[in-house]
């Protein structure tokens, strides 16, 4: 593990460590002297860096999205911390531990993917099964599916977060369909597996999690609407009414216009799926808030996504164990 | 079954049928002549009625909430339909079918109640178990619990609707807790069983579903906050922090301030329970909208509670069966 | 012109006239006797009709969306007007004037379409020109484009309303681009011509204006997103970034999430086009409100779409002519 | 008065002063060396402090909520100011002026409490009088009532603020009831005196103003609903309808769902009381904003609670005295 | 009192009574035969009327805003009630009781006006006193002030309602200023007396309460802003800063942008006055709702202005008298 | 050009440069020693400054709104940057370049004003022409009109910004009126030229852009409502109805209550003008966001006014030129 991380930097400290280059440019001082300005980062955050001399070599070899090794001093400039670089070179691949730059799910992605395939194969309706398995077993999509985060900051914001979220939703879908016979489990599973495939390309997550320009301009709902629609068109004979139903499931899953769904759920499965998706996402956001130290022993940090903080139940109930050990 | 119902009345029709008396008063015409004014109803709606002569006997015997047999003519007065009564007498018990006056769940209430007790007894935490079983097995409460509707119009708006809703929620709670080990199933079950007990007294549902004055002024959240708090106080040694947690589960279950929850859910179980309650209620509202004939073969009636209509999936997909028979 | 129209019907009147069949079904009275129930309409509105006897022949020949000739009596039933049918037969084509059933733009659709083609051909960018002209000169689309209304009730709610709206927007686009050199006129024209093509299939308007099921479940933004995306994919070499830009123009044109745009305009042309579209639509809604008699000489009818009524400026200024005749 | 306050600290400054200990813990550096971490504060704010050596004695004697004397240097660490402690000892009681740690009303709390009792005793209705006087003359409650602030930040956010607010409301209630004979002054006084008693336990205000966990999870409306309900139950024979009315007054006093009132005022006294409470609170917020120096001579600081700043009328009207001296 | 009122009309009834002419016009039938169309009304509402023959004399003598005597039959036409006129003549002044056409305050307007003058004369600031007394003692304004309603439907919607509202506010202003020494009573009285003078011309209320075109296009806030500004300009030497303050009081009195105030209150007196105005208006709306019979003995009618119904406290508390007679 | 600007200051830097004095006061240290406190600024921002010794001369000569030359050191005090002044004197007029203190339109104001007069003279309606030309050719107003910014921060926030905005709107008005014959171009031009004249006095912009107290308390809509109303009153014979129409155009131009328009547009020209004003303002806001460097090559800075960032189309489309050079 690299040391220190961006969030560990103290003023007037001298450091030697590795960073990812987020931005690189040459600027001029007022006196016309060129200098190098970089934005550097790791999984904990980003910081500006400037190099005033002897950066000619660095210009040639180093580009955005490269990993670098730096020797630098931590300073404050215009009230913001920055690095004054003394040495800078490309890092060697063997020096870099990708886990220092991107957080990762703690679960086994291979197992999660196997579960996903199992859910896809359990779909009874032949058209939906063909559609869903075709998409998730496409090697290019599968590779991204195993890696994509579910969001940039809201919930499951780490590599593998998307598949973790989707497998969880498949489990919920199965259970809920078992309780309400009026619901079609195939539609719920289809919604669960396909409702966020647009995120595979809405976000980029090679070396950091960010939005692509397409993601910003279109959003994952539109992107998956297009790719899934094409996939249905490619299946000869796919019933047109069923296509409309699948499209409706995708575009209505945010549940409200102001959350970017151009249509309210008007099919029972779409209504129910919206609640399941919300439940799993919001619970993950609560979990993330509780995972951080807020300074207040009984409370989580404030979750911007949920507009509140959460109680640490065990701290509040103290010695009192909610479920007696012999009953667990 | 009585005939006609209020919604079947046509102008200038003469009828002989049974009604429930919602209101009764003696008024005077402008000329000072007294007449009898009643509000009569059945499960389909209500209508005003007037009797101009020979109502002295009726005055003596008939009161609000009595069932009556009437012979009348349907007229229009000041632009509203009304009955002009020719004959009026108390109905005999054997003439009345309560089902003509209040809709009832199609499920077996005895079985539902047995399931409820089973869920209550499955609570592992001794304090919560004592609290919940104490409430639902109190004979007075049990009697109401078996009969209460879950709402006046929004969802499960029929006798037995509340217990149907609660048993459904217990099932959901069990399933969801199994999927998320971070959730305490005892808290979820407690929330499910107690979150609407205030409705036992917020609504009256002897002969029609309506709000009590207390229900209007306080609402079921405040009413159950009081009764459940008292029940916890009555259990000597009930942990104060656990009491606060149960209170929070009750008052936060509407999830948003604008839906009458004075606090947002700040415990994970409260957050999750809010979604489960919303899912079961809104799905029931969709079910109710689909149960009515809208005139448009592919669409349900418009659900005011949900602000939309719902698609009849089977009609839209037509001959195409979503799940092939051999896969069911 | 047929006479009377639905809005001319008076109670207890006997009529002989033509209608469009919106719905047809056989129902049974309580006594089990079958009767025919129709929903009939013309361009002014719709009315229920019932036929009690000798409707067997009608059952065979008449279906939804047929035109019929009826002889009937106007009655009131359950407080709603209805027709009691005495005679009913299929209308002969030569008896029907379609203009009695659907309102039509007062402009010459042929000329409007020629203008549209001219605007499309004036696009300088070769990819956009190829895309736009390809779509509007497709015979199937052209036929619909000449006929489609722009909305069911909000604005331009008559046959030919869409093309009238689009040609007006092209004129605005040209003018505005001339005033702001920073704007690309090609993108504005592309947005103008394609932004509502989804309405060609969101609405059906053969014999009355209504939403299709696809239109209800998906909406015109999603429908045109799909068709225009396919059209771009079909043009080999179409630049992917330009495709994203066109998609963004389509999905952001409602300008706000709550009006069903899943993205806010983030390109200047998208921002400007949103205002132009709003201006033309809302002005048309004001125009429509002013075209109706409100009973108040100085005011239009209340426009539900705009939440207000409009002043008749000429009435309010009275004898005083705003622009003196010699200055016009 | 102590010097400096937290908000007076400058970087690289050496200080000797008093603080309240908000948190205390022993942590380890990365190298495993233990150090002391404190959160220190006074009435102006809080700051982190660290002590690296010779803190063994401090560990033994000093705890959360103790007052301490420190000698320290102001530094910046991870971009946040902090104190590096050189000396640390318990403060002696005689060294501490509590007013440095908590703001206090400028009025005489004894007099305010006497006025409160007078208003309570002026209630004519025997049940309400018994209820209100019973609560405010309970010694434990009285002690808190004399000390509690009315809020953490919004208005009257200082010790004694609550009783100041309540006495002011009693005065308003009397006056307004005199002007509107339709209003029952007893209900208004009851509302005034009891509407915020939940704040006695929603906030803690021993050495700083903060929310208790119960306060966060339940809020003062629910807390007083419970305690006042119990107090009514304890008065044998208290009329049930009157109990409902008092409960409604308490829960509706925020006036709107989105401000945490689960019911809108549906009794005239509840409606009026809501306006009086709002008037007194918001005027106090304006007063607080005007009490601070904004840098702009004619304007107060910006009030977050009210979303605006206030004009200093005397500055704006300048030499011009609004009310001439001889008319005052 | 006339009989019947518009709201008393039944279909197929023959009536002889008096109405006010709201509109009059000659129209032609489809066959080209002229007929007379009137809109007639009384204090309870309006109804359309048609006269088919022998209306030539009526045309000459009768105009909008005349009172007429009619003999007519109540019919239904195009699904709306209307009168078919058989006889029509101008009413004689002695036949008309104005109270049948407009509701009137129950208080003595002369006394209210005297109180208003007294409040105006009690203003100590010489400029404000000159301004306010100058306006209210202007004979033309005084005449309107004694007659104007405070609103069309919301509150005090009857002749004299405005002065009743204003005198009530002056009383509140005096009391509240006595309780809060920081408030300037002169500004509060000025606001109370002038804040609605725009309503003198926003509404017309000669024979019915309605908006003028100016009222619709500008609103009373703008109208009084103009007239009061002019009145200040006409007072030579009126301090400009004081003028700005008075203008701010007028335009901010609705308290929120969405209620038509272009500025939020930013002076304490403006803030307080807004609450007093709201309190008096909303209490009047509650009073109006309670004055009507809702059919439910314990509840008022639903107040659209307030979005709720109100409890009849005396009914709910029943035999129990809130304030014991000997304590009143 | 002066150097450095406020936004260029670094800690511990020594500078010699020019500033505008925003505020000046003498304060005392805790020890009672007087010192000078100034607020200094230039077009880039403001900073506090303190002078501890030998400032007696400066007190005499220097006042708010003077330009000064300073020699100072950049320090951090209470966590905010400030200047410690060593030398301070009045700047000589020839030392100051006003452009260092206020941003200015890049267009030629003389030409813009000539265009404005031309548009005003093109108004055909004699009353509107007299009104508009009278206002804009008034020398005092003309001088302000040539100088005023259109806003403090939202759009056209520089000297000459208002006239730039208005001339642009006149061009739009002409074009749009040509496309919609139902619109009266005179009303649109009148709205364009007068709709922001209140900003001439709402803002002050001699040496920096700020709100006047009148501007804060009343806003430009009210201020121009007053001045334009007076101007109409001063034109003998100006038709009263036309006056109301002009007033309505002014007060409705923000289009929504929540943006400070006390009336919604209820005349077609008012509706259309609102859209044109919004289009030109928002496009200017987008332009301003795109003019700043965001660090992200494909995106503008985030526009707070619009709640989004904008795409740099040329960067995103890269080598691909939207409009081919030969087609331009």
């Amino acid at each position: 593990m690299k040391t220190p991380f961006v969030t560990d930097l103290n003023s007037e400290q001298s450091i030697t460590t590795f960073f990812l280059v987020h931005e690189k440019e040459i600027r001029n001082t007022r006196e016309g002297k060129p200098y190098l300005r970089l934005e550097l980062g790791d999984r904990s955050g980003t910081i500006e860096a400037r190099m005033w001399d002897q950066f000619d070599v660095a210009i040639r070899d180093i580009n955005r999205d490269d990993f670098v090794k730096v020797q630098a001093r931590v300073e404050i400039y215009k009230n913001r911390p920055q690095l004054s670089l003394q040495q800078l070179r490309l890092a060697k691949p063997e020096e870099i531990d990708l886990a220092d730059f991107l957080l990762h799910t703690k679960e086994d992605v291979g197992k999660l993917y196997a579960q996903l395939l199992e859910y896809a194969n359990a779909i009874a309706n032949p058209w939906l099964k063909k559609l869903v398995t075709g998409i998730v077993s496409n090697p290019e999509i599968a590779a991204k599916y195993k890696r994509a985060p579910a969001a940039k900051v809201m919930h499951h914001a780490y590599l593998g977060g998307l598949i973790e979220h989707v497998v969880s939703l498949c489990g919920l879908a199965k259970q809920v369909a078992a309780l309400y016979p009026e619901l079609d489990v195939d539609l719920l599973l289809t919604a669960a597996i396909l409702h966020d495939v647009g995120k595979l390309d809405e976000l980029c997550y090679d070396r950091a999690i960010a939005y692509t320009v397409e993601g910003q301009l279109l959003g994952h709902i539109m992107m998956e609407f297009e790719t899934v629609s094409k996939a249905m068109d490619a299946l000869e004979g796919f019933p047109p009414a069923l296509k409309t139903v699948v499209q409706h499931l995708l575009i209505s899953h945010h549940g409200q216009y102001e959350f970017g769904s151009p249509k309210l759920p008007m099919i029972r499965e779409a209504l129910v799926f919206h609640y399941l998706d919300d439940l799993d996402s919001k619970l993950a956001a609560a979990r993330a808030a509780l995972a951080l130290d807020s300074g207040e022993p009984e409370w989580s940090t404030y979750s911007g996504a949920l507009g509140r903080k959460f109680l640490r139940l065990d701290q509040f109930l103290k010695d009192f164990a909610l479920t007696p050990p012999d009953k667990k």
Side-chain angles (χ1 to χ4, degrees), chain A residues 15-217:
Chain A
I15 60 166
T16 305
T17 188
F18 300 91
F19 290 112
L20 173 67
V21 178
H22 287 267
E23 286 174 37
K24 167 194 141 185
E25 55 180 330
I26 303 300
R27 288 191 177 172
N28 287 314
T29 63
R30 279 159 200 269
E31 296 73 31
K33 194 174 165 298
Y35 67 94
L36 176 67
R37 184 192 158 277
L38 299 176
E39 175 128 344
L40 301 176
D42 55 33
R43 74 178 193 215
S44 77
T46 63
I47 188 167
E48 275 200 12
R50 279 176 174 74
M51 191 165 192
W52 304 98
D53 296 296
Q54 293 173 295
F55 50 80
D56 320 26
V57 182
I59 288 179
R60 278 205 312 273
D61 295 349
I62 293 170
N63 286 304
R64 194 171 164 164
D65 288 340
D66 280 336
F67 290 109
V68 292
K69 181 169 193 187
V70 307
Q71 185 181 321
R73 191 171 159 73
V74 184
E75 297 180 346
I76 293 184
Y77 178 68
K78 292 192 188 176
N79 207 23
R80 304 211 310 202
Q82 70 165 31
L83 295 179
S84 178
L85 301 180
Q86 287 135 11
Q87 303 276 346
L88 170 70
R89 69 158 169 82
L90 267 184
K92 294 167 203 159
E94 64 270 23
E95 289 174 327
I96 294 300
D97 179 356
L98 264 173
D100 287 346
F101 295 89
L102 274 173
L103 288 172
H104 201 286
T105 176
K106 280 163 195 135
E107 303 200 33
D108 177 333
V109 171
K111 273 192 200 157
L112 287 172
Y113 184 68
Q115 284 178 270
L116 185 72
L117 285 184
E118 209 172 308
Y119 282 122
N121 280 305
I123 295 176
N125 178 288
W127 290 112
L128 295 174
K129 181 180 186 169
K130 207 181 287 187
L131 172 69
V132 171
T133 56
I135 288 175
V136 297
S137 60
N138 171 317
E140 193 188 341
I141 292 176
K144 287 184 185 171
Y145 216 126
K146 288 177 191 164
R147 212 175 136 67
K152 194 181 160 196
V153 285
M154 297 282 283
H155 67 101
H156 297 94
Y158 43 76
L159 293 190
L162 181 64
I163 198 167
E164 196 184 311
H165 172 51
V166 166
V167 167
S168 181
L169 282 175
C170 288
L172 276 174
K174 279 276 198 193
Q175 302 277 30
V176 167
L179 289 170
Y180 296 104
E182 69 209 281
L183 297 178
D184 184 85
V185 69
D186 290 353
L187 288 178
L188 288 176
L189 286 173
T190 302
I193 300 177
L194 300 184
H195 83 292
D196 271 351
V197 293
K199 286 188 177 165
L200 303 180
D201 296 308
E202 183 191 34
L203 298 163
C204 55
Y205 37 88
D206 274 337
R207 302 185 156 196
I209 300 177
Y211 284 98
T212 60
V213 175
E214 288 74 12
Q216 283 272 21
L217 287 184

Side-chain angles (χ1 to χ4, degrees), chain A residues 218 220-222 248 250-266 271 274 278:
Chain A
L218 302 179
H220 72 276
I221 284 189
M222 303 311 293
H248 180 72
L250 296 179
I251 65 173
S252 68
H253 82 265
H254 284 185
Q256 306 276 352
Y257 298 126
E258 54 269 41
F259 300 140
S261 262
K263 282 286 170 182
L264 302 181
M266 287 186 283
L271 183 80
H274 159 64
D278 225 7

